[in-house]
């Protein structure tokens, strides 16, 4: 409820859609909370069709490519679930184009990361999504800014972390109980959906943001927790911050890293430099300058420099 619709581009450069064969059935799996018995449901589903005779529409497949239905998170433990596609020892046999991604978990999930890994050179990775602070109330298909190429010889990897302890405020059980895969919200899931197509030359250069215009309301829309900027994930969470925030970084390739935090007047208040970094790592910032002095509340600019590339985020300190 409340999520944005799935909208595919309809443009001279690329048309995308889902084939709906004649005599197909549309099946809706509806989830209702406790207390719904005897109440009315007003659900509407809209389908938009291309005019008859439209040619060149790229066929999109939506599928839960990463999946594990056999796990149990023991009570009073923090554990993880991971999966490969096609599997840990087999890469994809041909090139694919990825349009969007949808990791799915329930209440005790705490983080999610998905990337493509070169089967023959595992250090070569393509970041797809990273959610360092999982929120059951905020999930759906994340559409890539640019179409992502999944090359032949790569395989998909996904990992989710689950906190089944009493310290998890979202734990549905007090005291904690063993939680296994299941359909109920109080069960758990590990699923990653992808919307994908057969690759065509140049797909990775197509800017989907410029082709798909979603009409959103005037209220503040949730922002993605992870952004893939040419092989670099850089997230700042929580934001706004109070006592501490985590600067979460994922690098596809090994590189030197410099982190700088400045106030709105451009004065540097904090910096940190790291050599030869690759993969996932976290830098905690406690809102203090280099002399361990508390900085005032306000807006700060966090800049990550990776080689010659700079990525900036706005951070609010309360």
């Amino acid at each position: 409820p409340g999520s944005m619709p799935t909208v595919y581009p309809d443009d001279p450069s690329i048309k995308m859609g889902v084939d709906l064969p004649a005599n197909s059935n549309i099946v809706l799996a509806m989830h209702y909370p406790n207390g719904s018995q005897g109440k009315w449901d007003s659900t509407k589903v809209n389908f938009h069709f291309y005019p008859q005779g439209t040619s060149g529409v790229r066929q999109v497949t939506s599928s839960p490519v990463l999946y594990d239905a056999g796990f149990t998170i023991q009570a009073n433990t923090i554990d993880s679930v991971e999966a490969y596609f096609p599997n840990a020892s087999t890469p994809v046999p041909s090139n694919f184009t990825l349009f969007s991604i949808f990791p799915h978990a329930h209440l005790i999930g705490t983080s999610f990361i998905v990337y493509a890994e070169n089967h023959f050179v595992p250090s070569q990775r393509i970041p797809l999504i990273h959610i360092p602070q999982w929120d059951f109330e905020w999930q759906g298909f994340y559409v890539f800014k640019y179409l992502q190429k999944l090359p032949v010889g790569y395989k998909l990897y996904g990992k989710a972390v689950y906190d089944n302890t009493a310290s998890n405020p979202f734990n549905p059980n007090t005291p904690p109980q063993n939680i296994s895969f299941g359909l109920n919200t109080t069960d758990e899931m590990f699923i990653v959906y992808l919307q994908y197509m057969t690759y065509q030359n140049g797909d990775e250069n197509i800017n989907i943001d410029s082709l798909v215009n979603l009409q959103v309301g005037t209220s503040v829309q949730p922002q993605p927790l992870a952004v893939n900027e040419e092989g670099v994930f850089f997230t700042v969470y929580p934001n706004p911050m109070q006592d501490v925030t985590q600067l979460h970084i994922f690098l596809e390739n090994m590189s030197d890293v410099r982190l700088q935090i400045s106030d709105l007047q451009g004065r540097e208040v904090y910096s940190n430099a790291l050599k030869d970094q690759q993969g996932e790592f976290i830098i905690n910032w406690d809102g203090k300058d280099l002399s361990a002095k508390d900085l005032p509340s306000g807006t700060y600019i966090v800049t990550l420099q990776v080689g010659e590339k700079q990525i900036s985020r706005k951070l609010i300190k309360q």
Side-chain angles (χ1 to χ4, degrees):
S3 62
M4 299 304 297
T6 296
V7 178
Y8 299 116
D10 175 14
D11 186 80
S13 62
I14 184 171
K15 297 179 182 292
M16 295 168 53
V18 174
D19 187 33
L20 187 63
N23 301 313
S24 295
N25 292 317
I26 302 297
V27 180
L28 303 180
M30 308 299 291
H31 294 244
Y32 298 108
N34 289 333
S36 300
Q37 183 71 28
K39 295 186 177 180
W40 289 95
D41 174 13
S42 179
T43 297
K44 298 178 181 179
V45 181
N46 294 318
F47 295 94
H48 296 264
F49 293 91
Y50 284 98
Q52 189 172 1
T54 302
S55 61
V57 178
R58 302 276 298 275
Q59 300 295 325
V60 180
T61 298
S62 181
S63 178
V65 296
L66 293 170
Y67 189 93
D68 189 331
F71 67 90
T72 296
I73 308 299
Q74 299 294 322
N76 301 305
T77 64
I78 297 176
D79 205 349
S80 62
V81 177
E82 59 184 9
Y84 282 92
F85 178 84
N87 54 60
S89 59
T90 307
V92 294
S94 58
N95 296 326
F96 290 93
T97 295
L98 308 182
F99 174 74
S100 70
I101 187 169
F102 179 4
H104 176 62
H106 290 177
L107 296 174
I108 65 169
T110 60
S111 68
F112 234 117
I113 189 167
V114 184
Y115 54 80
E117 177 183 280
N118 189 321
H119 178 69
F120 306 101
V121 187
S123 61
Q124 295 182 2
R125 296 174 176 176
I126 303 171
L128 295 175
I129 196 167
H130 184 199
I131 305 174
Q133 190 75 25
W134 176 260
D135 187 342
F136 177 72
E137 302 294 339
W138 187 91
Q139 55 179 307
F141 279 100
Y142 174 84
V143 178
F144 299 112
K145 180 176 181 180
Y146 285 85
L147 293 176
Q148 298 291 302
K149 179 182 179 181
L150 178 61
V152 61
Y154 276 69
K155 55 192 176 186
L156 292 169
Y157 170 79
K159 176 182 177 181
V161 177
Y162 301 88
D163 183 351
N164 192 11
T165 69
S167 63
N168 183 353
F170 305 107
N171 198 320
N173 301 308
T174 304
Q177 302 176 17
N178 294 350
I179 297 180
S180 301
F181 184 96
L183 296 178
N184 293 321
T185 301
T186 51
D187 299 322
E188 258 308 335
M189 283 191 173
F190 175 87
I191 303 175
V192 179
Y193 285 87
L194 281 172
Q195 291 182 312
Y196 58 92
M197 309 175 291
T198 301
Y199 175 78
Q200 291 187 11
N201 188 40
D203 276 354
E204 63 270 39
N205 299 318
I206 297 177
N207 186 328
I208 294 298
D209 272 5
S210 66
L211 300 178
V212 176
N213 181 25
L214 292 179
Q215 299 298 317
V216 298
T218 57
S219 60
V220 176
Q221 298 297 317
Q223 296 300 310
L225 293 177
V227 180
N228 178 3
E229 301 191 33
E230 300 178 0
V232 180
F233 277 131
F234 179 37
T235 63
V236 179
Y237 188 90
N239 185 10
M241 65 168 288
Q242 292 182 340
D243 299 323
V244 67
T245 191
Q246 289 189 335
L247 312 175
H248 224 125
I249 303 165
F250 180 94
L251 304 180
E252 177 183 357
N253 302 309
M254 184 171 293
S255 181
D256 295 342
V257 172
R258 186 175 188 273
L259 190 72
Q260 174 184 307
I261 301 178
S262 306
D263 60 23
L264 291 182
Q265 286 71 46
R267 294 187 294 262
E268 181 179 287
V269 298
Y270 175 85
S271 64
N272 195 350
L274 302 171
K275 300 283 290 185
D276 298 330
Q277 297 295 308
Q278 186 178 19
E280 179 184 9
F281 57 98
I282 297 173
I283 297 175
N284 292 313
W285 186 56
D286 58 4
K288 299 179 181 180
D289 63 17
L290 293 174
S291 62
K293 180 181 177 181
D294 279 318
L295 291 165
S297 300
T299 301
Y300 294 85
I301 304 298
V302 185
T303 301
L304 175 70
Q305 182 163 344
V306 180
E308 300 298 320
K309 183 188 309 177
Q310 285 190 346
I311 304 171
S312 295
R313 301 280 185 264
K314 184 183 293 186
L315 171 64
I316 299 174
K317 183 177 184 294
Q318 293 182 335

